[in-house]
Amino acid sequence: MAFADTTPDDSALIKQGEYIARTGDCMACHTVGNNKPYSGGLGIKSPFGIIYSTNISPDPKFGIGDYTEKEFADAVRKGVRKDGSYLYPAMPYPSYAKMTDQDIHALYVYFMHGVQPVAEQAKQTDLSFPFNQRWGIMFWDKLFTDDGAFKPTASRSDEINRGAYLVQAAGHCGSCHTPRAISMQEKAYDDSSDQYLAGTELNGWNVPSLRAGGDGSKGIDGWSVQDIVDYLQTGRNVHAAVGGEMTAVIQHSTSHMTDADVKAIAEYLKTLPQQYAAGDSKSFSEDARKKTEDQLTQATNLTAGQRVYLDNCAACHFVSGKGAPNVFPPLAGTALANSANPTGLVSIILNGSRLPTTPKAPTQLAMPDFGWRLNDQQVADLATFIRSGWGNSQTAVSAADVKKIRAQLPPPAVTSKPGDLDGVEHYSSQKSQ
Ligand code: HEC
Ligand code: HEC
Ligand code: HEC
């Protein structure tokens, strides 16, 4: 259907399309900070260089106002532009390929009639040879993407199928949570493979597994459906508080989903069996946690890292390492503290972290930044303690590691003014494994 065929007063359809844009998180990549919605220009780091998102407001000159529905559908699901050139997979079309015609139709009507046109040129991508040769992407698409639409599984309930659809198609959760192969494609785009959502790394930051079924001993498999719902709606639960690039996903997307949709996602994730590796510690040791708690309480024979912890962190995260449910996240047994790569943990210590404001949890809790206060050696001692205290089991961090991470950090999220977190180049594509 072409632009002219849709009736602008089709307000129910526009509303539906707006909701689908939320489930697809189009805002996170196509808007910079407080700029006009969908005016584009967000720089996304990729292995080839920085790729800028485009203006997808309905302006006919600078945006997509002259796209027919077919052209829009081809851009979103196949990564092919109106002029026939190929989009970089920084736009998650390999996942959107699974979106239904119905959803694409509502999305199109919303973008044409529910979004304000913005007559501004977005910053343009300017990669060096050979990555500026867009035709190369055609071969990548042919090899690695399958344009199969989502197929519900007959043996699953409607709720689980709905969750699977949201996760695999619009939600594109796998674009960050599924490991990538050497040529950058996700190792799986659906749950027919046990690599799907099995966890990986994003710019040195641990992206946990979302496979929530299992014996409850590793990461998210110990979370209940309600724990997952709380996290997706508010960015916090009894086990964790969100940091890193997941913050924008919660802020712009999952916190706006209906209760039924978020629950469907959680129920679906609970059907995926967790992967256990030979070296995984099968159970978190409460004895080991208690031992560290006792040591910190007695405050004798402390290591350098333990001293830094007592002076700077214990007021909020407590000597127990258990934090306070839904307010201060625990440090004992968490994915972030037990990730092989210390970048996420060290980044949070240096830069602080701000929880997103969401409809269900409007208070903006923040962890202060310590980068100005602690030197590289102090941060290294502290991170080493956190990674090995309370039953955590990771290797030491050196001052040289901290120095390297510090040099690459954006300005702190916390001392900057609220909202700035949206404007930084937080949304980047993944490193290959
Ligand atoms: C992870 C980041 C990301 C998300 C999420 C995302 N996009 Fe994109 N999108 C991009 C980038 C980057 C480009 C430009 C790619 C290029 O230049 O090759 C793009 C390009 C496009 C284009 C092509 C525009 C043109 O100039 O032809 C359309 C249409 C589009 N996106 C629509 C959407 C819609 C609709 C959604 C939500 C369902 C969405 N995008 C979500 C990153 C994203
Ligand atoms: C832009 C990348 C990105 C996308 C897209 C993304 N995530 Fe995440 N997600 C992350 C990162 C990074 C973390 C780790 C956050 C932290 O360390 O605090 C995370 C953490 C999580 C966690 C917490 C797991 C744990 O063990 O702590 C859940 C649950 C989650 N994501 C669900 C989802 C779902 C559902 C989707 C799709 C709707 C999704 N994510 C899409 C990057 C992403
Ligand atoms: C004023 C209270 C406060 C102090 C002091 C504090 N934190 Fe936090 N911390 C928080 C809050 C609130 C969060 C949740 C914010 C977020 O996730 O965006 C948090 C989050 C974290 C996280 C992320 C947890 C996860 O699994 O995502 C880590 C790690 C952390 N703090 C470590 C520390 C360390 C180490 C110190 C001492 C240098 C410290 N905190 C001092 C309040 C505090």
Side-chain angles (χ1 to χ4, degrees):
M1 190 191 292
F3 174 23
D5 302 340
T6 50
T7 47
D9 57 356
D10 213 343
S11 64
L13 202 52
I14 292 175
K15 247 194 141 131
Q16 197 190 333
E18 181 175 17
Y19 183 74
I20 291 158
R22 285 293 190 189
T23 65
D25 208 8
C26 316
M27 185 75 95
C29 286
H30 283 278
T31 310
V32 178
N34 295 325
N35 289 1
K36 299 201 184 92
Y38 301 115
S39 56
L42 184 75
I44 296 172
K45 276 186 243 145
S46 86
F48 325 115
I50 294 190
I51 295 169
Y52 290 96
S53 65
T54 48
N55 178 337
I56 55 168
S57 78
D59 184 82
K61 179 148 187 259
F62 299 102
I64 58 169
D66 64 349
Y67 274 51
T68 63
E69 182 165 337
K70 165 97 173 50
E71 288 161 349
F72 176 79
D74 284 351
V76 175
R77 288 196 295 206
K78 296 185 178 158
V80 180
R81 270 188 174 152
K82 186 181 174 72
D83 66 4
S85 64
Y86 288 80
L87 292 172
Y88 292 100
M91 159 78 183
Y93 59 84
S95 302
Y96 295 156
K98 292 188 188 303
M99 290 176 75
T100 61
D101 292 347
Q102 239 174 334
D103 279 4
I104 292 287
H105 175 60
L107 199 57
Y108 177 70
V109 172
Y110 167 63
F111 274 101
M112 292 302 144
H113 303 294
V115 173
Q116 285 295 322
V118 184
E120 283 165 22
Q121 176 64 55
K123 221 181 213 174
Q124 283 181 297
T125 303
D126 183 17
L127 301 183
S128 57
F129 185 82
F131 302 122
N132 57 357
Q133 302 295 299
R134 285 179 179 264
W135 54 266
I137 308 168
M138 179 177 68
F139 296 103
W140 189 92
D141 285 350
K142 286 211 160 55
L143 282 170
F144 300 127
T145 65
D146 73 90
D147 50 6
F150 176 81
K151 283 181 215 70
T153 308
S155 58
R156 286 173 164 169
S157 67
D158 289 351
E159 183 181 40
I160 306 267
N161 274 318
R162 173 70 182 161
Y165 175 69
L166 286 165
V167 166
Q168 293 173 22
H172 66 280
C173 314
S175 71
C176 293
H177 284 274
T178 300
R180 295 204 182 223
I182 200 80
S183 32
M184 295 305 299
Q185 80 277 21
E186 291 157 46
K187 285 187 176 161
Y189 290 98
D190 63 44
D191 53 55
S192 60
S193 158
D194 59 14
Q195 290 290 303
Y196 185 62
L197 304 178
T200 179
E201 251 187 32
L202 183 68
N203 302 321
W205 193 295
N206 177 53
V207 187
S209 165
L210 294 185
R211 303 184 66 92
D215 63 14
S217 67
K218 184 186 163 196
I220 193 172
D221 69 1
W223 294 18
S224 67
V225 165
Q226 189 59 46
D227 293 338
I228 300 174
V229 167
D230 289 345
Y231 184 88
L232 294 176
Q233 288 191 322
T234 67
R236 64 203 80 164
N237 63 19
V238 292
H239 306 284
V242 68
E245 303 207 17
M246 189 63 200
T247 309
V249 177
I250 289 173
Q251 174 137 21
H252 298 298
S253 180
T254 58
S255 70
H256 299 274
M257 290 185 192
T258 62
D259 292 353
D261 275 351
V262 180
K263 177 157 178 294
I265 289 178
E267 296 281 4
Y268 168 62
L269 297 179
K270 287 305 272 183
T271 68
L272 306 177
Q274 177 71 281
Q275 304 299 303
Y276 301 101
D280 286 349
S281 65
K282 272 282 173 192
S283 58
F284 176 71
S285 162
E286 174 57 22
D287 286 352
R289 191 202 60 73
K290 188 75 176 41
K291 201 166 143 222
T292 301
E293 176 173 348
D294 292 345
Q295 225 177 342
L296 291 174
T297 308
Q298 288 154 16
T300 50
N301 300 322
L302 295 177
T303 63
Q306 288 175 326
R307 247 178 272 123
V308 180
Y309 182 80
L310 283 179
D311 289 345
N312 297 280
C313 323
C316 294
H317 294 282
F318 304 113
V319 292
S320 67
K322 281 159 86 170
N326 297 309
V327 184
F328 303 123
L331 302 176
T334 62
L336 192 70
N338 289 287
S339 138
N341 189 319
T343 304
L345 175 65
V346 170
S347 304
I348 285 199
I349 294 172
L350 293 174
N351 263 6
S353 179
R354 191 189 292 279
L355 280 168
T357 309
T358 61
K360 296 224 163 165
T363 49
Q364 219 185 22
L365 282 172
M367 140 119 180
D369 59 322
F370 289 88
W372 58 275
R373 186 164 177 194
L374 302 176
N375 65 30
D376 292 345
Q377 188 60 54
Q378 287 170 311
V379 174
D381 292 342
L382 176 62
T384 298
F385 160 60
I386 291 172
R387 284 159 62 85
S388 58
W390 303 293
N392 295 337
S393 50
Q394 275 299 342
T395 50
V397 177
S398 70
D401 295 334
V402 176
K403 186 168 182 215
K404 235 192 277 160
I405 297 167
R406 197 193 280 268
Q408 289 165 6
L409 280 181
V414 168
T415 50
S416 50
K417 55 185 189 309
D420 277 2
L421 202 56
D422 301 342
V424 295
E425 289 169 358
H426 54 67
Y427 219 112
S428 6
S429 67
Q430 227 165 4
K431 287 222 172 75
S432 80
Q433 299 272 299

